[in-house]
Amino acid sequence: MYKPNDLIFRTTTSLIAFILLGFSIYLLLAGHNSPGGGFIGGLMTSAAIILMYMAYGSDILRKILPVNYRMLIPTGLLIAAGTGIGSFLFQQPFLSHTYNHFHLPVFGDLELATAMLFDFGVYFTVLGVTVTIILSIAEDR
Amino acid sequence: MNNFLSLTHIIVEIATVICLAAISVSFILLLFRIVSGPTNADRAVALDSMGMNMMGIAALMAILIPTTKLNDVILLIGILLFIGTLAVAKYLEKGVIIDRNLD
């Protein structure tokens, strides 16, 4: 059978996948007051994962990243619903969010909002849905 | 000093509009290549360069409407362009995009 030589493709993939994952984390964290957010962060992470699947084949990637992407969908939905239900503990209406200032050792004064947790839920749901769709189309059995 | 600043502003705007016109001409020529490319590889290369021109148009529009929010969009177009071109190239070479076992 015809065997391709993917040396350049694999070397650039090992560089670019790191840049993609870092950029996706940046987009996820920067979504509060600049373009970005959970949705586009999840799409970028799934793009990095699909790039690694294209370069190395699905057998190797299933050993390297043993993640069940279907389980990410209920996990993200539970996180997003939990931030809504958690507001009942403080006698507030559903999905009411708050923020506070924290003093962390490295970052200094930081304003953390609970909308971040909702964004993480969106992130995991989008990541799970996208990778599940593409992988179940690609595998023909 | 104020006069000099306004003059520079006018020069930058005129240069940006000229660059937008030049990129539009490049778009039309690339569109001709996509429609009448003899092989599929010609169309793939033309689509790749069209995406690069799109990055240029996003950068020039960020100059015209003075904003820094478009920098993420430029990086995003570049990444999606790279992945899309790789997928097309792999399909043209092997027929599958994600194969089960590479060795």
Side-chain angles (χ1 to χ4, degrees):
Chain A
M1 186 186 158
Y2 166 66
K3 276 182 69 173
N5 187 5
D6 282 347
L7 181 63
I8 299 176
F9 184 21
R10 289 186 175 190
T11 313
T12 49
T13 297
S14 61
L15 282 175
I16 287 173
F18 267 108
I19 300 173
L20 267 177
L21 289 172
F23 184 57
S24 70
I25 298 296
Y26 162 72
L27 278 178
L28 170 65
L29 295 181
H32 197 67
N33 38 17
S34 64
F39 187 78
I40 190 70
L43 280 184
M44 277 296 105
T45 311
S46 66
I49 291 172
I50 295 303
L51 179 65
M52 287 191 280
Y53 263 95
M54 282 199 294
Y56 292 101
S58 59
D59 273 355
I60 301 173
L61 246 288
R62 208 172 287 129
K63 273 181 210 157
I64 294 173
L65 285 175
V67 179
N68 189 4
Y69 294 104
R70 287 174 201 84
M71 284 311 291
L72 284 181
I73 305 170
T75 309
L77 287 178
L78 272 181
I79 292 172
T83 61
I85 295 171
S87 64
F88 286 143
L89 294 178
F90 304 97
Q91 278 83 36
Q92 294 291 321
F94 186 59
L95 274 178
S96 57
H97 287 254
T98 180
Y99 67 95
N100 206 351
H101 288 272
F102 291 98
H103 211 78
L104 295 182
V106 181
F107 301 103
D109 192 26
L110 207 61
E111 181 183 329
L112 293 178
T114 51
M116 187 88 245
L117 297 173
F118 190 78
D119 236 4
F120 273 106
V122 175
Y123 175 82
F124 284 123
T125 310
V126 169
L127 176 62
V129 167
T130 316
V131 179
T132 303
I133 287 174
I134 292 178
L135 287 187
S136 50
I137 288 173
E139 289 168 357
D140 47 352
R141 55 165 184 174
Chain B
M1 188 62 194
N2 211 356
N3 202 6
F4 182 69
L5 269 183
S6 62
L7 180 70
T8 324
H9 188 234
I10 292 171
I11 287 175
V12 166
E13 270 197 350
I14 290 174
T16 311
V17 171
I18 290 172
C19 291
L20 275 177
I23 288 185
S24 310
V25 173
S26 158
F27 255 111
I28 293 169
L29 294 176
L30 283 171
L31 203 62
F32 175 71
R33 175 52 73 192
I34 285 178
V35 170
S36 79
T39 65
N40 279 333
D42 285 326
R43 293 190 179 95
V45 172
L47 210 62
D48 192 47
S49 350
M50 218 163 172
M52 285 182 223
N53 286 345
M54 248 166 74
M55 288 167 71
I57 279 190
L60 290 173
M61 287 312 285
I63 295 174
L64 266 191
I65 32 168
T67 174
T68 57
K69 305 285 186 196
L70 281 178
N71 297 347
D72 291 347
V73 180
I74 297 167
L75 199 54
L76 215 63
I77 294 174
I79 288 165
L80 293 182
L81 191 66
F82 176 71
I83 293 174
T85 310
L86 273 180
V88 170
K90 198 156 182 194
Y91 178 71
L92 288 180
E93 190 193 354
K94 295 186 67 177
V96 289
I97 293 176
I98 298 176
D99 36 13
R100 193 170 302 136
N101 189 9
L102 285 175
D103 285 324

